[in-house]
Amino acid sequence: MITATPRKDLLLMGIFTFAVLTMPIWLAPIGASYPDLLQRFAIFGIFAIGFNILFGLTGYLSFGHAAFLGVGSYTAVWSFKLLSMSVVPAVIFGVITSGLFAVVIGYISLRRSGIYFSILTLAFAQMSYNLAYSVLTPITNGETGLQLSLNDPRALDSLVGVAETSGIPPTNFFGIEMSGYSGFYFCAILMIIGFYISMRIFRSPFGMMLRAVKSNSNRMSYTGLNMRPYTLTAFVISGMYAGLAGSLMAVTDPLAGAERMQWTASGEVVLMTILGGVGTLIGPVIGAGVIKYFENIFSAINENVLHGIFDFLPEVLQDGAVAVLSLFVGEGWHLTLGMLFMLIVIFLPGGIVEGFSRIYERIRNKNNSTNGKADAVGSAKVQPGE
Amino acid sequence: MDAFVLQILNGLDKGGSYALIALGLTLIFGTLGVVNFAHGALFMLGAFCAVTLKKILTISKQVKDESITFFDAFKEVPYLEIWFGETGAAIIDYAVPLSILLAIPVMLLVGLAMERGLIRFFYKRTHAEQILVTFGLAIVLQEIVKAFFGANPVPMPPPDLLTGSADIGAAIGLGDSVIYPWWRLTYLLFAAVIIAAVFCFLQFTTFGMVVRAGMQDRETVGLLGINIERRFTIVFGIAAVVSGLAGVMYTPIVPPDYHLGMDFLVLSFVVVVVGGMGSLGGAVTAGFLLGILQSFASMNEVKEILPGIDQIIIFLVAVVILLVRPRGLMGRKGVMES
């Protein structure tokens, strides 16, 4: 569709930045412009971008990325507790710790590939989840989750003499409180930076190498290349993205719980990436946004709202429609999610981005045929996101 | 010594359920080459077959309670008891074992429908896509169950006859401290019977022979004029029945809820990998082995030395096995090597 040139990349980057920063404005008509949801868009966008660097480029399907998310969260909250309420050390430590964690897990898991890799990462994530609930309760505070409290030491804060307040002080970025829109902009800027890094990786020789591993790892090893350093680097980078997302969760809401590490959470990020488009640049961000948006909408709908929607129908039909649809909304949001997941994998494995490029192609082909000159290049299969 | 025997017994019934699910997973993987993440959901569906039967059997009507004379009191009495008296009560008491009769046709149908309706379109797709689509299916199945039965676990008592504990210690001369619930013993026996039945079926029938041949070399069997695809569909059905039955009989041990399947899925995948992808014997051995290891790890003496080991022992073993013996304990050469 589009060959990558520096100019087009710059354009894409510009559009992306603009779109993300103006989200509070253009999402207002569909009722998605409140800070809490916007923050989630950005955080899960980062998570999915990072996951895509591993899964999209190398084809290694990790089912344990939620573990890094959890580690990032815990580290950030501990940084708030021990060091300072400033988000800078929290984010930095979150990324570093989850990166170290990823080095260990990746070093072991990447010895195997395919389904074995999936199961190894799954095993590690389950291990961390189980440990967080049992033995590590002094660190993770078990089921209650790790919370801030008034008499935390906050060594750095007291060192520079931040005034004592009566309540728990809010997280801040050099004095700017990290809640509401400022919290969103903080996450959004980090997402834009993350997107830029991911774009640079996609375009770099390193990214090329990862794609070569995906398309034929046997051939790569026959040419005498040791793939593991490359895949490990990709794994660690994507683990650090997950850690960043986790620490941002703690920044916007200083609480960390073990349920973030459950393997269904790993499944969710896989879904986001698939829904948007695996191996495309922008796809994962779109996927994350779509899922979080619909999660928000669907879980808020209840039977009364449905009755309101189908008010125009006769009584019997209305009750029937409500009875069927109420399975899919509110509590049943996960049912919709599972269905969506299956439909996407069955019919549109390339995700939303592929769907768009198919539509784009069809329109272009139609135009060409009406002009009487069939464009052979236009009908050739495109690589989404190239 | 007593504690030792007790832990082995404890591990065996857990291992029995792991082995049954892993057996089904391996059957599907060995024949169809599909990684089925919805297999745990089949286990859960089996468990809810038992719940459904119990619900049907205990459809009740309100009857005036004669024992209370001060005021009009009503109690729920199941129709079965009204119609058949003692026999009816006995049938309700044996709801769980009776559910086997319901679960076999239901699970067979579910399995066949799943294979024909969804899985067969995924033979040619990558393992990652198979994992993803069956993962989606698992979510859908468990959410449907949740919509019908609610999110809370449903207690399912075993028949009265089997509620108590067996004094195994006295029977084998070890002292009184070794006692073991009758139902768990039943489960163990049941698992052994099912496993033996599956192996006999594959080993001693013509159908089983063709299936085994198909596992070795699908193409050649096809060239010989045998409709291998149809046999594999039936194998999928059988695998669904096996894990469904495992679910039915497990209900008195752990009250089933909708995410029962997911909890078991992860573990049974680990079991399959430890046993060796595509090896039926490996799956069963690893199932029992890991079950026993897990119950040893949850002994207090062990936990004192290595806190938390009971939570992670299975995964730890899996990691070590995969790194040391990449094909698992009994993995065949050439299965999932890439």
Side-chain angles (χ1 to χ4, degrees):
Chain A
M1 162 174 61
I2 305 161
T3 36
T5 58
R7 239 187 76 212
K8 277 175 181 161
D9 275 356
L10 197 67
L11 188 69
L12 178 65
M13 201 61 226
I15 296 173
F16 182 78
T17 312
F18 181 74
V20 169
L21 291 181
T22 52
M23 264 194 334
I25 301 166
W26 59 266
L27 281 178
I30 54 172
S33 68
Y34 59 93
D36 185 42
L37 185 60
L38 289 172
Q39 286 165 5
R40 259 182 288 158
F41 283 164
I43 290 170
F44 281 93
I46 293 173
F47 193 15
I49 291 174
F51 185 76
N52 189 41
I53 291 177
L54 181 70
F55 183 42
L57 284 181
T58 66
Y60 278 77
L61 174 59
S62 158
F63 251 99
H65 257 54
F68 305 128
L69 193 77
V71 169
S73 281
Y74 281 126
T75 317
V77 176
W78 272 111
S79 155
F80 290 140
K81 280 168 93 73
L82 296 179
L83 289 177
S84 152
M85 288 309 287
S86 167
V87 296
V88 180
V91 168
I92 291 173
F93 280 119
V95 172
I96 291 176
T97 327
S98 51
L100 291 177
F101 205 63
V103 171
V104 177
I105 292 185
Y107 183 76
I108 300 172
S109 308
L110 284 166
R111 286 162 176 269
R112 311 302 316 280
S113 60
I115 176 181
Y116 291 106
F117 173 78
S118 302
I119 290 171
L120 274 175
T121 45
L122 182 57
F124 274 115
Q126 279 302 94
M127 263 202 288
S128 335
Y129 172 69
N130 287 345
L131 285 178
Y133 258 124
S134 56
V135 197
L136 296 181
T137 29
I139 303 176
T140 61
N141 205 9
E143 240 170 281
T144 336
L146 192 61
Q147 286 160 329
L148 300 181
S149 75
L150 198 54
N151 37 18
D152 287 331
R154 288 193 275 278
L156 275 182
D157 278 0
S158 48
L159 206 66
V160 291
V162 174
E164 287 280 325
T165 45
S166 55
I168 298 172
T171 57
N172 65 74
F173 178 67
F174 297 116
I176 308 167
E177 225 174 89
M178 283 294 114
S179 56
Y181 282 110
S182 57
F184 160 67
Y185 280 111
F186 183 67
C187 300
I189 286 165
L190 282 176
M191 175 163 83
I192 291 165
I193 295 171
F195 185 76
Y196 179 74
I197 295 173
S198 125
M199 182 192 258
R200 295 312 306 164
I201 290 175
F202 268 64
R203 305 287 184 244
S204 67
F206 169 68
M208 200 61 113
M209 197 63 101
L210 294 180
R211 253 178 276 197
V213 170
K214 182 185 187 179
S215 61
N216 197 333
S217 58
N218 275 340
R219 194 171 289 171
M220 289 312 286
S221 46
Y222 291 157
T223 52
L225 177 92
N226 183 10
M227 294 176 297
R228 212 171 289 153
Y230 292 95
T231 44
L232 183 61
T233 314
F235 190 85
V236 172
I237 292 174
S238 90
M240 286 163 94
Y241 269 81
L244 174 63
S247 54
L248 286 179
M249 278 181 177
V251 164
T252 50
D253 179 19
L255 176 83
E259 73 282 346
R260 270 178 207 168
M261 302 170 106
Q262 213 173 4
W263 72 289
T264 37
S266 307
E268 200 183 3
V269 71
V270 180
L271 173 55
M272 288 170 181
T273 316
I274 301 259
L275 178 69
V278 185
T280 63
L281 269 175
I282 193 78
V285 183
I286 299 178
V290 168
I291 285 181
K292 283 294 148 194
Y293 175 68
F294 281 107
E295 179 181 29
N296 189 48
I297 297 277
F298 272 56
S299 357
I301 298 179
N302 55 27
E303 289 203 6
N304 293 334
V305 179
L306 278 179
H307 273 291
I309 296 173
F310 292 102
D311 217 11
F312 59 93
L313 289 173
E315 187 89 357
V316 184
L317 279 180
Q318 185 185 336
D319 286 349
V322 169
V324 171
L325 282 176
S326 61
L327 281 179
F328 293 92
V329 296
E331 292 273 291
W333 150 248
H334 281 105
L335 181 59
T336 322
L337 196 67
M339 295 260 195
L340 188 72
F341 201 66
M342 284 173 70
L343 291 178
I344 288 285
V345 179
I346 295 170
F347 296 110
L348 204 65
I352 293 175
V353 169
E354 190 193 287
F356 276 134
S357 68
R358 275 194 204 169
I359 294 169
Y360 174 76
E361 289 239 326
R362 192 158 297 171
I363 293 170
R364 214 167 71 161
N365 281 349
K366 201 177 262 174
N367 286 347
N368 285 342
S369 55
T370 46
N371 292 342
K373 37 180 180 181
D375 189 358
V377 186
S379 58
K381 177 132 179 57
V382 289
Q383 286 280 310
E386 290 290 294
Chain B
M1 185 64 196
D2 289 4
F4 192 74
V5 174
L6 193 63
Q7 291 308 330
I8 288 188
L9 282 172
N10 271 337
L12 278 177
D13 68 309
K14 199 157 222 168
S17 62
Y18 293 159
L20 282 178
I21 306 177
L23 186 66
L25 267 175
T26 313
L27 259 182
I28 292 175
F29 188 79
T31 50
L32 302 167
V34 170
V35 184
N36 183 15
F37 259 53
H39 211 74
L42 292 175
F43 179 80
M44 183 261 313
L45 281 184
F48 276 90
C49 277
V51 175
T52 317
L53 188 78
K54 170 112 186 178
K55 279 215 164 136
I56 294 173
L57 289 180
T58 52
I59 293 174
S60 335
K61 91 174 186 190
Q62 290 205 322
V63 174
K64 192 159 180 252
D65 194 343
E66 304 291 345
S67 59
I68 299 170
T69 44
F70 299 116
F71 55 92
D72 280 353
F74 290 94
K75 61 177 178 182
E76 301 254 314
V77 177
Y79 278 107
L80 270 179
E81 260 176 57
I82 300 170
W83 294 336
F84 303 113
E86 287 287 295
T87 330
I91 291 177
I92 293 173
D93 187 29
Y94 279 90
V96 172
L98 281 177
S99 314
I100 292 176
L101 297 178
L102 174 74
I104 290 176
V106 169
M107 293 313 294
L108 193 64
L109 274 181
V110 168
L112 296 185
M114 210 169 125
E115 201 273 340
R116 284 289 93 185
L118 180 74
I119 306 285
R120 77 181 162 123
F121 301 108
F122 276 79
Y123 293 152
K124 294 268 178 318
R125 313 263 288 254
T126 59
H127 282 301
E129 281 180 329
Q130 293 170 354
I131 292 178
L132 294 171
V133 82
T134 46
F135 179 62
L137 182 66
I139 298 177
V140 169
L141 287 177
Q142 77 174 37
E143 288 303 314
I144 291 175
V145 166
K146 184 179 161 194
F148 278 102
F149 294 95
N152 295 326
V154 190
M156 294 285 294
D160 272 339
L161 185 65
L162 298 173
T163 36
S165 291
D167 200 351
I168 304 239
I172 52 174
L174 268 180
D176 292 334
S177 61
V178 183
I179 50 164
Y180 194 60
W182 277 111
W183 184 261
R184 290 182 175 235
L185 211 58
T186 318
Y187 191 85
L188 186 57
L189 210 65
F190 175 78
V193 168
I194 296 275
I195 290 167
V198 170
F199 272 89
C200 288
F201 178 71
L202 288 175
Q203 211 66 40
F204 300 126
T205 61
T206 323
F207 187 97
M209 191 182 69
V210 173
V211 169
R212 275 185 297 133
M215 281 168 90
Q216 295 284 334
D217 189 341
R218 178 182 186 142
E219 215 164 288
T220 312
V221 176
L223 288 175
L224 289 171
I226 295 169
N227 187 351
I228 192 73
E229 197 158 301
R230 210 176 67 212
R231 319 242 160 165
F232 280 177
T233 309
I234 294 171
V235 169
F236 195 102
I238 292 173
V241 170
V242 167
S243 47
L245 291 185
V248 168
M249 296 295 276
Y250 209 70
T251 47
I253 301 179
V254 170
D257 56 7
Y258 69 101
H259 56 74
L260 179 71
M262 287 287 183
D263 301 344
F264 270 86
L265 175 76
V266 180
L267 288 175
S268 41
F269 250 108
V270 171
V271 168
V272 170
V273 170
V274 169
M277 270 298 195
S279 155
L280 295 175
V284 174
T285 319
F288 281 113
L289 214 62
L290 289 182
I292 293 172
L293 263 181
Q294 196 179 22
S295 74
F296 271 113
S298 43
M299 283 169 78
N300 281 332
E301 292 87 341
V302 181
K303 273 201 273 191
E304 265 169 32
I305 308 167
L306 295 163
I309 188 75
D310 55 322
Q311 303 284 334
I312 59 166
I313 179 82
I314 287 192
F315 303 110
L316 217 55
V317 170
V319 168
V320 171
I321 293 264
L322 271 189
L323 295 179
V324 180
R325 276 186 69 91
R327 271 180 214 134
L329 291 177
M330 300 182 181
R332 285 184 289 139
K333 197 169 184 239
V335 180
M336 285 291 315
E337 293 286 81
S338 61

